Amino acid sequence: MMNCEEATRLLSEAQERPLSLSEKTSLRFHTLMCTGCRRFGEQMHQLRRFSKASRPTDKDADQ
């Protein structure tokens, strides 16, 4: 059974690399039961979206 430390590590790693099927399955099972880790995963997703949205585009560099 995955613990919260392992789950948050995988949630972070999932932002940088594809997880294996066994990692995805274990993580999904854990986050179904753990509100804290589920919320952490949602926050990681939001941070990634916000950081992508705040990147300057080529059009911004021309100005």
Side-chain angles (χ1 to χ4, degrees):
M1 181 80 166
M2 180 177 290
N3 64 34
C4 292
E5 185 176 346
E6 294 167 328
T8 54
R9 180 184 55 79
L10 281 180
L11 287 163
S12 295
E13 287 183 16
Q15 301 296 311
E16 303 299 324
R17 68 170 179 89
L19 299 180
S20 70
L21 181 58
S22 65
E23 289 172 324
K24 286 180 190 178
T25 303
S26 295
L27 182 58
R28 181 71 178 142
F29 184 70
H30 179 86
T31 56
L32 284 171
M33 297 186 311
C34 182
T35 305
C37 289
R38 186 170 49 249
R39 190 171 298 144
F40 178 78
E42 292 165 359
Q43 291 171 345
M44 292 291 295
H45 180 71
Q46 287 178 342
L47 282 171
R48 187 157 181 103
R49 272 193 11 236
F50 293 152
S51 67
K52 282 183 177 182
S54 68
R55 288 185 201 163
T57 63
D58 291 336
K59 191 183 338 179
D60 294 336
D62 292 339
Q63 296 176 354

